[in-house]
């Protein structure tokens, strides 16, 4: 028998996620809710049926991303276990843009990231990155993207060409 339990949401504009299985990851940051399922099943629904009137049931390997009531992504994950890398202290990305890396630094580690030019945020590192700390991540970013990274003691990072 599977036991279900609802997750907590901060407003009616965010989806209800009812867990029908055991291995999953829910991340609500930067105004987005990401749900990744590794095993069993999850149903995503909204209290306000005017937003979405049909629940979405995820299968293992499924990933969805919402911003408020808008479904931004609904796809299969290439590397499902990567979404739970944070539980072992790892920082992990696949084909990440500098914008995605900066969001993680802000949301997960409390950094402020500024770029000299907005277009730098579109730079992308192809392939996998898995590191155990922020210093190693910044080294990978600087070397791979050929950018200059300056970090101050108060968790401020400036990135330039």
């Amino acid at each position: 028998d599977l036991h279900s339990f609802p997750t907590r949401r901060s407003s009616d504009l965010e989806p209800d996620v009812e867990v029908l299985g055991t291995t999953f990851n829910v991340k609500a940051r930067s105004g987005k809710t990401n749900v990744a399922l590794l095993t069993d099943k999850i149903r995503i629904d909204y209290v306000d049926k005017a937003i979405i009137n049909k629940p979405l049931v995820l299968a293992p390997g499924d990933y969805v991303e919402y911003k408020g009531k808008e479904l931004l992504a609904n796809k299969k994950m290439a590397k499902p276990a990567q979404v739970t890398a944070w539980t072992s202290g790892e920082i992990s990305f696949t084909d990440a843009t500098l914008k995605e890396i900066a969001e993680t630094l802000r949301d997960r580690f409390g950094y402020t990231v500024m770029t000299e030019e907005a277009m730098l945020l579109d730079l992308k590192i192809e392939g996998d990155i898995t590191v155990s700390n922020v210093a190693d991540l910044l080294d990978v970013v600087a070397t791979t993207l050929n950018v200059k990274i300056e970090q101050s003691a108060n968790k401020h990072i400036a990135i330039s060409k």
Side-chain angles (χ1 to χ4, degrees):
D1 279 348
L2 291 177
H3 299 281
S4 68
F5 62 92
T7 61
R8 189 186 67 176
R9 60 188 163 73
S10 55
S11 80
D12 284 346
L13 293 178
E14 293 179 357
D16 280 337
V17 178
E18 183 178 358
V19 179
L20 305 171
T22 56
T23 312
F24 64 97
N25 193 70
V26 177
K27 179 175 79 172
R29 293 191 180 118
S30 301
K32 297 178 186 171
T33 302
N34 306 315
V35 181
L37 181 63
L38 300 173
T39 63
D40 297 316
K41 154 169 93 158
I42 291 177
R43 181 175 57 230
I44 298 176
D45 204 354
Y46 281 86
V47 170
D48 182 353
K49 299 301 181 205
I51 295 173
I52 295 177
N53 63 5
K54 183 179 178 191
L56 182 62
V57 177
L58 303 186
D62 286 349
Y63 170 89
V64 294
E65 180 175 285
Y66 287 90
K67 183 170 186 173
K69 61 184 178 180
E70 182 184 0
L71 179 62
L72 301 176
N74 182 357
K75 62 185 179 180
K76 284 286 189 191
M77 296 178 285
K79 299 180 181 185
Q82 194 173 40
V83 298
T84 58
W86 66 270
T87 62
S88 61
E90 292 181 334
I91 308 167
S92 188
F93 298 97
T94 296
D95 299 333
T97 63
L98 187 54
K99 180 180 180 182
E100 293 167 330
I101 293 169
E103 286 176 353
T104 297
L105 288 168
R106 182 189 65 230
D107 295 342
R108 189 167 158 200
F109 299 101
Y111 284 85
T112 301
V113 179
M114 302 298 293
T115 58
E116 180 180 64
E117 301 172 40
M119 65 181 233
L120 289 175
L121 293 172
D122 296 329
L123 294 174
K124 187 175 193 177
I125 298 176
E126 300 288 336
D128 296 334
I129 303 169
T130 301
V131 295
S132 58
N133 59 61
V134 171
D136 289 348
L137 176 61
L138 295 177
D139 286 343
V140 169
V141 169
T143 302
T144 307
L145 297 178
N146 194 28
V147 294
K148 182 179 177 184
I149 297 178
E150 295 177 13
Q151 183 177 354
S152 67
N154 62 352
K155 290 194 165 190
H156 178 78
I157 296 171
I159 302 174
S160 59
K161 263 300 194 188

